[in-house]
Amino acid sequence: MAMESATVLIIAVVLVLLSLLVLLRSRRPTNMPPGPGTFSFTSRFLLHPIFYQVPPHQIFYSYYKTYGPVYSVGLVGLSLVILHGAETIKEAFHNKFICDRPSVKILKHVLDGAGVAFSSGEAWKTQRRIAMTFMRDFGLNRTDFEDQVAVEAGHLLTEVAKHEGRPFSPYVLMANAVSNVICKVVFGTRYDYDDPQFKRLLGAIYRNIQLIGGVTGALQVLPGAHVFARFLPPVRETGENLKLICEFTRDVLEEHKKDFDPEHPRDFIDVYLREMEASSVNKSNVNMNDMYATVGDLFVAGTEATSTSVRWGMIYMMAHPEIQQRVQDEIDSVVGRQRFPTMADRPRLPYTEAVMLEIFRLGNVVPLGAPHQASQDTTIGGYHISKGSLVFANLGMLGLDEKVFPEPDKFKPERFLDESGQLSNRKYDLLPFSTGPRMCIGEQMSRTELFVFFTRLIHRFTFRKPTLAPPISFKGVAGITWSPLPFEICAVPRK
């Protein structure tokens, strides 16, 4: 941790010096979004202690109060455009010239492949087509995906029950369960939670999620960072973890080749093998590096966000036992105690649905989403956006707008219900999966996972705060996701 802090400080000093040079050598184009400018932003936050205590989406919100829904900040020759408000975000992310991703070069020496998350242009279209076709053909964006999730939820409930109501940390168990869902659809198999290879894979994935959410991620968009970044300890560690993930995938690939049948693909690996065989005909030019990158993207997108959402749900249920009891009463009334809730029950569980919406609202799981990049000069909100500008949407603050959500800091599921207790028809623009062509392709998959895991856990157990545990905290840790601080919980079996 001390090494990472020192790395951050060195980078911050370099950024300030470079920002001064940029300030002296450049002039602001006309009709640009308002903003604090390069030196003001860099010196105020990157060298100020508060930068390490306040999450970025809240820092950007403080600027929104001064500059409005579209503003820019300068950072070492980069123009960062920050968007606030659902309508502004929708306008920008449905603009075909705001669909690229920034070029990521600092790990190209480890993996030079085009995944679905950070590729652009034709490479992105190809990877997205493969992933979307796979999801469609295997039903991952339909409710019948529920059966696969339910199998893993059963294993999770068994592991939770072993604690017999005693305090435990849910982090590893939730990571195991959600990651195993992805393992099943990508590799065609699930792994025992004690499997050493599975534990190594998860360790690499979740450590990289932490690193990419910190120094490594910030360096990915910094021009020229690839020249020196590979020598920094966090980037070296990210690269080693990436190699391990690729090696795991390669081993699975070699096993699949032994009995591969292109007419009957079993999982994503088979689908990709078929795509590579056909690439010489359809000229899609996909290769194994592309597959490694896309598999990595599927794990990050399909594990961390869902696992984090369920853990936020545990915290809020533990903190609000009266709400937890009301959810349990509704499920018991509609479903009973002899079976688990299913997606078919969902329309008859309006309060449970409202609770999950409130978890999405306050959890702020991916508060800034992934950066977009302007592929050519364009406009947002009437302002000129220069080619190459990075565009971030402050998605996390949508749910905290007191004009839309009175008392935004309070957990109030009833805000999503009408007078009759049914889900309100009012449209709420929370956008937890972003919007436009680059929105999360696994939205329906994630919503299914959250419903199955959350409802089965709360149907089987009552969550309570351990007697000797510190006060419940709603503070989070900024990274790729906005995740809860480490906590323990008691899962008391229900009769």
Side-chain angles (χ1 to χ4, degrees), residues 252-262 264 266 270 273:
V252 174
L253 176 67
E254 293 303 318
E255 286 298 315
H256 275 52
K257 285 181 178 179
K258 295 176 181 178
D259 53 1
F260 169 61
D261 180 358
H264 300 92
R266 298 158 292 185
D270 275 356
L273 278 171

Side-chain angles (χ1 to χ4, degrees), residues 182-344:
I182 301 300
C183 282
K184 180 63 177 177
V185 299
V186 172
F187 299 140
T189 187
R190 70 169 303 278
Y191 298 87
D192 290 336
Y193 293 169
D194 292 329
D195 185 294
Q197 286 186 306
F198 182 57
K199 292 170 73 172
R200 288 182 64 214
L201 174 68
L202 290 193
I205 291 170
Y206 280 89
R207 180 55 180 156
N208 268 12
I209 286 172
Q210 294 174 337
L211 292 167
I212 294 173
V215 174
T216 302
L219 287 172
Q220 290 188 49
V221 299
L222 185 65
H226 62 285
V227 176
F228 67 88
R230 70 175 66 183
F231 303 107
L232 298 176
V235 177
R236 287 205 306 268
E237 184 181 356
T238 305
E240 290 302 314
N241 290 333
L242 185 57
K243 286 180 183 178
L244 190 152
I245 297 168
C246 291
E247 289 169 0
F248 188 99
T249 305
R250 185 187 61 229
D251 291 343
V252 174
L253 176 67
E254 293 303 318
E255 286 298 315
H256 275 52
K257 285 181 178 179
K258 295 176 181 178
D259 53 1
F260 169 61
D261 180 358
E263 299 299 321
H264 300 92
R266 298 158 292 185
D267 47 42
F268 184 75
I269 298 296
D270 275 356
V271 169
Y272 219 98
L273 278 171
R274 184 176 63 185
E275 190 71 28
M276 286 192 292
E277 281 192 351
S279 65
S280 59
V281 177
N282 58 30
K283 299 181 180 180
S284 58
N285 296 321
V286 296
N287 55 56
M288 284 198 296
N289 281 337
D290 296 337
M291 182 190 68
Y292 295 152
T294 298
V295 166
D297 291 341
L298 290 174
F299 267 101
V300 172
T303 57
E304 177 68 358
T306 301
S307 174
T308 300
S309 294
V310 176
R311 285 186 289 125
W312 275 119
M314 290 178 169
I315 287 178
Y316 281 110
M317 293 302 93
M318 183 169 58
H320 300 282
E322 74 288 353
I323 294 177
Q324 179 175 200
Q325 183 65 58
R326 187 171 170 184
V327 172
Q328 291 171 331
D329 289 345
E330 181 181 66
I331 293 175
D332 289 350
S333 174
V334 172
V335 175
R337 302 294 301 143
Q338 302 307 310
R339 68 174 179 87
F340 288 115
T342 67
M343 293 294 286

Side-chain angles (χ1 to χ4, degrees), residues 58-233:
Q58 292 183 13
I59 292 175
F60 288 138
Y61 184 70
S62 69
Y63 278 128
Y64 158 67
K65 294 179 179 179
T66 301
Y67 298 108
V70 182
Y71 65 87
S72 65
V73 295
L75 184 63
V76 194
L78 285 176
S79 174
L80 306 184
V81 179
I82 315 299
L83 310 176
H84 288 261
E87 294 307 314
T88 299
I89 294 170
K90 288 178 181 179
E91 176 199 341
F93 286 0
H94 284 83
N95 181 337
K96 64 181 180 180
F97 302 125
I98 309 289
C99 285
D100 278 2
R101 295 287 196 220
S103 177
V104 177
K105 298 180 179 180
I106 67 169
L107 294 172
K108 288 291 186 182
H109 63 290
V110 178
L111 176 60
D112 190 9
V116 71
F118 272 86
S119 56
S120 299
E122 291 303 316
W124 164 65
K125 292 178 181 178
T126 297
Q127 298 305 314
R128 185 178 187 274
R129 174 184 58 77
I130 296 172
M132 293 293 288
T133 299
F134 166 70
M135 288 183 172
R136 182 196 64 216
D137 292 348
F138 282 74
L140 301 192
N141 277 340
R142 300 195 305 266
T143 54
D144 52 5
F145 172 61
E146 174 185 9
D147 293 339
Q148 298 184 51
V149 182
V151 169
E152 197 56 48
H155 290 284
L156 173 64
L157 296 181
T158 298
E159 294 299 317
V160 171
K162 290 179 180 179
H163 292 279
E164 299 180 334
R166 296 186 298 271
F168 72 99
S169 168
Y171 179 84
V172 173
L173 283 183
M174 283 309 311
N176 287 346
V178 178
S179 295
N180 242 337
V181 175
I182 301 300
C183 282
K184 180 63 177 177
V185 299
V186 172
F187 299 140
T189 187
R190 70 169 303 278
Y191 298 87
D192 290 336
Y193 293 169
D194 292 329
D195 185 294
Q197 286 186 306
F198 182 57
K199 292 170 73 172
R200 288 182 64 214
L201 174 68
L202 290 193
I205 291 170
Y206 280 89
R207 180 55 180 156
N208 268 12
I209 286 172
Q210 294 174 337
L211 292 167
I212 294 173
V215 174
T216 302
L219 287 172
Q220 290 188 49
V221 299
L222 185 65
H226 62 285
V227 176
F228 67 88
R230 70 175 66 183
F231 303 107
L232 298 176

Side-chain angles (χ1 to χ4, degrees), residues 14-32:
V14 172
L15 289 178
V16 170
L17 294 176
L18 291 175
S19 297
L20 281 170
L21 291 175
V22 171
L23 183 66
L24 293 172
R25 297 178 60 183
S26 64
R27 292 184 178 180
R28 192 179 184 88
T30 59
N31 199 35
M32 287 284 290

